[in-house]
Amino acid sequence: MIAVFKHELHTYFHSLIGYVFGSFLLVFVGIGAMLYNLEMAVSNFEYVLGFSSIIFVIIIPILTMRTLAEERRQKTDQLLYSLPISTVDVIVGKYLALLAVFAIPFLFILIYPHIFASFG
């Protein structure tokens, strides 16, 4: 499971997928924060998260579908089946890698409410 996790995380951040996903998410949430918190002078960050839920519905399936499609394209799916680990370990490793790719930009998003609370 750890080997699959490291391999998937390595794949995401040695190609542009991880960086594009993170920057797109940060830009979209930043635009929502600017619209709701700065222009409309609303101090609730929950409106920004509601606004950004639209992007989560679109971008999360694209990110997850890429995982299986890339395995088939590179023909490494047969290699995954022949590993001495169970299928559940492969799935959990891929899931944790996707969760890490999603969590890294989300850690930056968690700073936004603190900035608005300090200066708003």
Side-chain angles (χ1 to χ4, degrees):
M1 180 175 73
I2 300 297
V4 174
F5 171 75
K6 287 180 182 178
H7 173 47
E8 286 295 315
L9 208 57
H10 181 268
T11 302
Y12 281 122
F13 287 109
H14 279 290
S15 65
L16 288 176
I17 298 294
Y19 298 111
V20 168
F21 172 76
S23 62
F24 188 70
L25 186 62
L26 288 173
V27 165
F28 198 76
V29 172
I31 289 171
M34 183 184 69
L35 289 175
Y36 283 107
N37 293 111
L38 298 178
E39 288 187 14
M40 296 163 105
V42 178
S43 63
N44 291 341
F45 195 69
E46 63 192 40
Y47 296 130
V48 176
L49 294 178
F51 174 73
S52 62
S53 67
I54 297 166
I55 194 64
F56 295 146
V57 169
I58 295 169
I59 202 163
I60 297 297
I62 292 172
L63 192 64
T64 56
M65 284 188 289
R66 181 224 163 257
T67 303
L68 296 175
E70 192 68 23
E71 294 292 337
R72 287 192 186 130
R73 187 181 68 82
Q74 292 180 349
K75 300 202 185 324
T76 56
D77 54 346
Q78 298 298 324
L79 179 66
L80 285 175
Y81 294 137
S82 65
L83 287 175
I85 58 176
S86 68
T87 307
V88 173
D89 289 339
V90 172
I91 292 171
V92 169
K94 286 182 173 287
Y95 173 74
L96 290 177
L98 285 170
L99 193 63
V101 169
F102 178 70
I104 291 170
F106 206 77
L107 290 174
F108 290 107
I109 293 171
L110 289 176
I111 298 172
Y112 291 178
H114 298 291
I115 292 172
F116 293 143
S118 297
F119 300 109

